[in-house]
Amino acid sequence: MHRLLIHRAYECPKWMEYLFVYLGVLVGMAGPIGMMIQHDLRDWAQRQKACHDYLLHGSTMIKDAWWQLNCDLVLNNPPKFEIEQSVSQSRFYQLLEKTWMFQQLILAVPLYIYGGLAWLVWGVSVRIVISVGGHWLIGYFAHNQGDKTWEVEGAAVQGHNIRMAGFLSMGEAWHNNHHAYPGSAMLGLYKDEPDPGWWVLNALHNLGFVKNIKLPKQLPVRTELVTVSNNMAQRVERVPQGCKVAQFLRKGI
């Protein structure tokens, strides 16, 4: 959902887009339009010369957890974001935006019928707590400490790569890479940076479902982007790869 709906880092059939976004809504954070607005607000604020502690995860861990997990930020003069019409006027996205909390019932009912209260609690309540809490925790560290390959000059906030969370977060924890190349569909840019989200996209690309994938070399040059890592010569870039199994399956489709 992040790489597709928000950054449009690749293209896929509309049914697949809807499926990915729906799975993202089931995480339990917000509706698709609400997530886009909050994401754009945060990214816009972090690119400024100064940024509120709420948006840069700049307070203590306990205070930031309370803010992010329990509070809303209300601005007197918020920036205006124009949501693309293919999203804002989509009946599917409008429905999800209005009913995103109730979508959990689609899972809750069969889980309860099949496995009782235990399945319901673990399949919905515990899952949402872990997913939303994990999203906040990775975001907190990704904006405060970790490895950096690049810095964005003039930005109030720098992203950090959280190596230990790279695999568990489907690659989203390579946040320094994302700050450097926000439009890239690949977040783990080097072979020692596991990026399961990219592995899925690469396989779908081999199958012919995903196209027009954007990678750092296809993005506009950023003059404000400065390399700060001193071991670039030893690092091996990740590149799109062919898949014999996917190619075989594609021939049969």
Side-chain angles (χ1 to χ4, degrees):
M1 178 171 178
H2 179 212
R3 308 182 208 198
L4 174 60
L5 189 65
I6 294 175
H7 290 287
R8 292 297 180 185
Y10 63 94
E11 296 178 8
C12 65
K14 188 60 70 173
W15 66 264
M16 183 175 288
E17 176 182 325
Y18 286 168
L19 174 62
F20 285 172
V21 172
Y22 185 75
L23 293 175
V25 168
L26 286 181
V27 170
M29 293 176 59
I33 297 174
M35 278 193 275
M36 291 180 72
I37 292 173
Q38 288 301 314
H39 182 281
D40 287 352
L41 172 61
R42 187 197 65 192
D43 277 15
W44 171 84
Q46 290 180 354
R47 289 193 297 266
Q48 307 308 307
K49 293 182 179 179
C51 180
H52 190 281
D53 281 352
Y54 180 96
L55 293 166
L56 62 79
H57 296 278
S59 190
T60 64
M61 179 179 286
I62 294 177
K63 185 176 181 179
D64 190 70
W66 175 256
W67 275 357
Q68 302 293 331
L69 299 176
N70 297 279
C71 303
D72 290 326
L73 178 65
V74 179
L75 302 177
N76 292 329
N77 298 291
K80 184 178 180 181
F81 299 106
E82 295 290 342
I83 303 298
E84 56 194 278
Q85 291 187 354
S86 62
V87 175
S88 64
Q89 297 184 10
S90 165
R91 292 185 178 181
F92 178 72
Y93 289 139
Q94 289 174 356
L95 176 64
L96 283 187
E97 188 65 24
K98 294 177 180 178
T99 66
W100 66 272
M101 287 188 178
F102 295 102
Q103 296 303 320
Q104 301 299 332
L105 292 174
I106 296 177
L107 285 176
V109 172
L111 285 173
Y112 182 75
I113 293 174
Y114 186 81
L117 185 61
W119 280 49
L120 173 63
V121 170
W122 283 95
V124 177
S125 301
V126 175
R127 172 182 57 83
I128 291 175
V129 169
I130 293 174
S131 297
V132 176
H135 178 271
W136 160 76
L137 189 62
I138 291 174
Y140 179 82
F141 284 109
H143 291 101
N144 283 284
Q145 60 187 41
D147 298 331
K148 287 193 297 183
T149 303
W150 297 278
E151 287 187 356
V152 181
E153 290 186 332
V157 183
Q158 302 296 330
H160 301 262
N161 289 329
I162 312 301
R163 183 164 296 277
M164 65 181 297
F167 186 84
L168 292 175
S169 66
M170 295 294 289
E172 296 293 325
W174 303 113
H175 210 61
N176 180 254
N177 299 348
H178 180 57
H179 272 230
Y181 301 103
S184 174
M186 180 192 295
L187 299 184
L189 301 181
Y190 298 93
K191 289 191 174 181
D192 63 341
E193 298 175 344
D195 184 357
W198 166 252
W199 301 340
V200 172
L201 291 179
N202 186 70
L204 290 174
H205 176 66
N206 274 274
L207 287 169
F209 291 114
V210 166
K211 61 181 181 180
N212 294 332
I213 293 175
K214 296 178 183 177
L215 300 176
K217 291 183 179 179
Q218 281 86 55
L219 299 175
V221 175
R222 301 183 67 186
T223 57
E224 70 274 23
L225 192 63
V226 179
T227 303
V228 295
S229 176
N230 56 11
N231 67 340
M232 297 298 288
Q234 290 77 39
R235 306 180 75 178
V236 180
E237 291 185 2
R238 174 175 281 117
V239 296
Q241 293 180 304
C243 175
K244 292 183 179 180
V245 175
Q247 293 172 355
F248 175 78
L249 292 174
R250 188 177 180 182
K251 289 181 181 179
I253 295 177

